[in-house]
Every structure is written in C-alpha cells, then in structure tokens.
Amino acid sequence: MKVVTGVVGNDIHVVANRLIDISLEERGFEVFNLGVNTYLEEFMDAVIETDADVLLISSLNGEAEGWCRDLQILKNQYDFRDVVFMIGGNLGVGEMDPEALVPKFQNYGFDLVFHQIDLNEGLDRLEAFLEAR
Amino acid sequence: MNKLYIDIGSTYFKVAQNGVIDQYFRDFNKNILDDLSSKCADVISRYDKKDIYICSSANGGLSTLIIGLTNSFSLKYAINIAFNSGINIIDTVLYPKIESEPVPSEMIDVVIVVGGIDSVEKVFDEKLLAYLEKVKYQNIVYVGTQKNRDFLEKNLENAVILENIISNDLKICEEGLKKYLTDLYQADIVGKEDIKQLYEITDNQIFSTPYIVNRSLPQINERLDVANPFIVVDIGGATTDIHYSRDLVNDNILTESGYDRLVFKKLGVYKSRESLVHTAKNNEFVYELLEHLNVTENILEEQSEKATRILMQLAIFLVLYKVSKHHGDYVELNLDILNSIVLTGGITKVLNQEEVDDIILFFYKKILHFHHAPVILLDRNYEIWTYGIKE
Ligand code: B12
C-alpha cells in the first residue's frame, strides 16, 4: 500500500512527520514523504503521480482548517477512486472540542480525522479502516 | 595561438579576440556567412579553423508542448528541464483535463509526455491519442511511467522513449530528457542552412548561446566583481533570459549543474516590442514607474531613442517582477537574498549605470519594500559568453 504524507501549509513542525514516516514503513507501507510546508494541491498531485492508496496529512500549528477546507473541490477534479483521506495532529488552536472538529473535517472530505490523538492509535484505526474495505 | 570567438545574435554579431569584443549589426539581406565575411573576413582569415569557436542564438529556438499528469510534479519538472535545455515556447496541457484543452495551431517542434512514477499503470490512454491526432508536431518524447511505455510505443510510431523524469521518490531526474532536448536544439541550430555554412570557417562544434552562457556561470564570480548569490539578466532583441543559481529557489528540485535558466520569449525590446508594451500596460505598478521616470504612457507608442530606453527600463522591471514572489509564474526567485545582478545583452549598450540602478532600486523599494538594492554590474563588453565558449 502506498501512502503520501507530509505537514500541510506553512507548518514546520517536523518531529511527528519523521515518526509518521518511520511508523508507516514499519507497518509495511510504501511511504512518499513530502515533508513540512506542503500545500494541499501538492499532496493531491503526489497521490495522482504515485497512484497512492492513502493520503495522511499532519498539521500541528493550528492552521489545518485554512489549508484543508478546499479538499472536496480538489477531490472533484480527479477520479481518486478509493483513496483514503486522513488528517491528524493539532487540528485547531488550543484544546478545542473534538466533537465539533471531527465532523467539520469530515465535511471537508476526510475519511479519518484525529485531533490530538496518538499516532499509533491513529495508524491502528487506519489499518482497521482499510481492512473493513 | 589565440582563439577567435563569434556569437551570432538575432540583432548583431559579436566577435572576440584577445579580450577585445567588436560588434556588428546584422544585415538580414545576406546569409550569415556572407554577412560575417563582408564585415570581418580579414580577422577570420588570420585564424586557423580549429581556433575559431562559434555560438548562435540567431534562430528562435525550439517550441515545445508539454502534456503532464499534474502541475506539481510532471509539468513542473518537464518545464524546468525544457527551460534549462534552451527550449523557448512552452504550452502545457494538464492530462486529466486534456479533453477540454485547446490545441495549439502552430507547428510544435517537440511534444513531451510525462506522468506517474514507474510503478504506476495506465496513466495515458486513448484520450492522449485523440488529442495528439489534432496537434501538428515534429518529434515526441515520452518520459513518464515505465508501465505505460508499451502503449505509447505501439500507438505513436516515432515516439522516443526515455528514462522517467520522476524518480521513485518523486524527485526530478533530468539527465535523459535534458540531453535529448539539448541535442535536438543543437541539431536545429546547426541544421539551419545558414549555420551549417559556418562550418566552412570552424572545425569546432557550434553551440547555442544560452547553453554557453549557462556554462559560464560557475566562472562569473571568479572573473567579475560579483558576490553570490547573483543572477544574470540577458535582455536582447528577441528574448529576455534570466540565469540564476539554484540557491535562489525553494522548490526542492535538485539539478546537477546548480544553475538554471528562464526565458521570457515575449520580453525582447526590438523583435517582440509589442508584447513587451502589452505586458507593461497590464502591470499594476507600471504607471507609478512611468511617473517615477517622468514620462507618460504615451511614450510606449513612440518610436524614439528615448522610448527605447524607457522600454528597456521597463523590461528590467517586468522581468524582476515576474520572478518575484508577487508573481511566481514558473519559478519564484528569492530576490531578498540576492547580492548581485549582472546585466548583459543589447541592453547594456543602451542604458547607463545610473538608469539601471534607478530602476532596480525602484523595484526593490516598491515591490520588496527594501531600502537598498543588490550591487549591479553591466557586462558592457558582453564578455560573459566568452567564458563559457572557451573549452
Ligand atoms: C518543538 C515545537 C516547535 C518548534 C518546531 C521545530 C521543528 N522544526 O519541528 C518551533 C520552535 C520552530 C515551533 C514553532 C512554532 N510553534 Co510550536 N511547538 C513545538 C512543541 C513544543 C513540540 C512539538 C513536537 O515536536 N512534539 C513532538 C511530536 C512527536 O509530537 P506532536 O507534534 O504533537 O505529534 C504527535 C501527535 O500530534 C500525533 N500526530 C501528528 N500528526 C499526526 C497525524 C495523524 C494522522 C495522527 C493520527 C497523529 C498525528 O502524533 C505525534 C506522536 O504522537 C509543541 C508543543 C507540544 N509540547 O506539543 C509546540 C506547538 C505545536 N507549537 C505551537 C505554535 C503555535 C507554534 C508557532 C506558531 C509559534 C509562533 N507563534 O511562532 C510556531 C509555528 C511555526 C510554523 N510555521 O509552523 C502550538 C500549536 C498550537 C495549536 N495548534 O493549538 C504548540 C502546540 C504549542 C502550544 N501549546 O501553543 N514549535
């Protein structure tokens, strides 16, 4: 399975990105890591060029909403068939209520949304999601 | 024994010997060899064929149409390689939208098709063939996923298949395509009857001028008083070229040479004057600039020496604007960290240092909000190309 990952927008928090790269490899995924400072269009283009199965975006600095709300528009511009769209990290500023955040990002077009949730738990749920399909 | 260097431009010849460069206006009623002979036959006769080196930018260059799968990878990489190979006209087609993309009406010298890393299957299909059916082109080169090669080979008779320009980790691999395009450009220049005749006076291979200038860049700061990072802006009769070091770009593309080139085909001062004026009129800062220069927009319609000077100043402004973060069409250069700007080409014959300094300072103040501008050097003798042509 191919996964495209990276940190969205003007976000330079790189530590989680490295961990995500390593963890995905350990779980047997083929990883395309675009690193920090990546725009949504670049993520989508990387999914197309690699024919990836999963797009895993992380965002730590609280700007996720601004950078990701056009996901649905971009999804409509290409036939992404059954790509899984996933996002995690600090999706809002401060604590925020996951009850409100999660549906919001699902509305933008993400299948899996993890606000301040540990990486391993998130990846377990990704694998379960892929399995269920 | 000394060597003789000749550069054939679209408006004039430059002939260099012993560090002295002479220039002669081209006479378009004569072919290049006759024109050259009538102006400097005795100089040429003093040199052995093996000591004469020639480069040329006299033909307009090759045109290309690039069909790519995405903007961020396929098209971006292919555009970058094409520019660096001296290919001028670029039209691009985003493959997922190919059915609604317009078809260029002019003859295309080379079509480039690219998309997908090697493990990806079925990127290109009948839609590509249907589109190409409508395009008039001479060459076609495929540099996309390996798994689609058979389809292209089977359906497009003369397709040249090269190594994928997108590596398995989504990085750029430029060598194969760059070599192919450079050779094609080279063959085009040398294939022109006019240029072929020049082999009567030289034993050495004739190169394209942009290739030679690009090759000279690593030597520039040894020879001229410039500090890294710098750019070379070549404003000539037909086109404007910017050569820059890769340190000035943040696009994560790593190329071997360390220097890239960008061509603005429609920003020449003589042969593409109309489109220069058009670009100027559409720039939101140009009126302020004209005011700063104490002229009105009517000057753009005039045919006078003063109008030419103003146009040249505009060309400098527009070309910097086009690569600044305010525009960033193809390539965005980090002009904030620039230490020197070297100007070369016809422009250095017309503008003086003060006029050039004035316009660049205006740009840095107005657009980048700086108080000062980089150090500006005029390559008045048009020496730069001679560094690259010397073996
Ligand atoms: C180190 C750090 C920095 C360093 C970054 C260095 C670098 N290059 O990485 C520096 C000093 C540069 C920095 C800058 C800023 N930072 Co900072 N930074 C931190 C800090 C202290 C640690 C981040 C870290 O590396 N953690 C270790 C990693 C392993 O944990 P993590 O990033 O949280 O990731 C885990 C999970 O979130 C999760 N995860 C991450 N992505 C994903 C994706 C999925 C799908 C899943 C399931 C899970 C997941 O997995 C990881 C492991 O469990 C945090 C505070 C904190 N203690 O978390 C603030 C923090 C992230 N920064 C913050 C801010 C605001 C900034 C700045 C805007 C500050 C400023 N005003 O300048 C800038 C932003 C710069 C930019 N353009 O991005 C805020 C974000 C606020 C928010 N979102 O609510 C935080 C939370 C601090 C705070 N409490 O205010 N920062």
Side-chain angles (χ1 to χ4, degrees), chain A residues 49-65:
Chain A
E49 298 279 6
T50 59
D51 195 19
D53 305 287
V54 180
L55 172 59
L56 190 163
I57 292 179
S58 87
S59 171
L60 286 315
N61 69 358
E63 294 181 355
E65 192 175 341

Side-chain angles (χ1 to χ4, degrees), chain A residues 10-16 58 60-62 88 90 92-94 117-119:
Chain A
N10 290 329
D11 192 339
I12 54 151
H13 293 92
V14 74
V15 184
S58 87
L60 286 315
N61 69 358
N90 304 317
V93 177
I117 294 210
D118 172 70
L119 177 61

Side-chain angles (χ1 to χ4, degrees), chain B residues 45-103:
Chain B
S45 68
R46 270 187 266 130
Y47 289 84
D48 207 273
K49 274 173 89 174
K50 70 176 189 337
D51 293 322
I52 298 182
Y53 293 83
I54 302 178
C55 64
S56 163
S57 58
N59 65 332
L62 292 182
S63 63
T64 183
L65 169 75
I66 305 176
I67 302 175
L69 185 56
T70 70
N71 284 316
S72 318
F73 299 93
S74 303
L75 287 178
K76 182 166 159 184
Y77 290 177
I79 287 170
N80 189 274
I81 296 170
F83 274 140
N84 279 328
S85 313
I87 308 268
N88 286 347
I89 307 167
I90 301 209
D91 277 312
T92 58
V93 171
L94 193 59
Y95 188 63
K97 296 187 176 153
I98 196 164
E99 285 164 309
S100 56
E101 291 274 342
V103 178

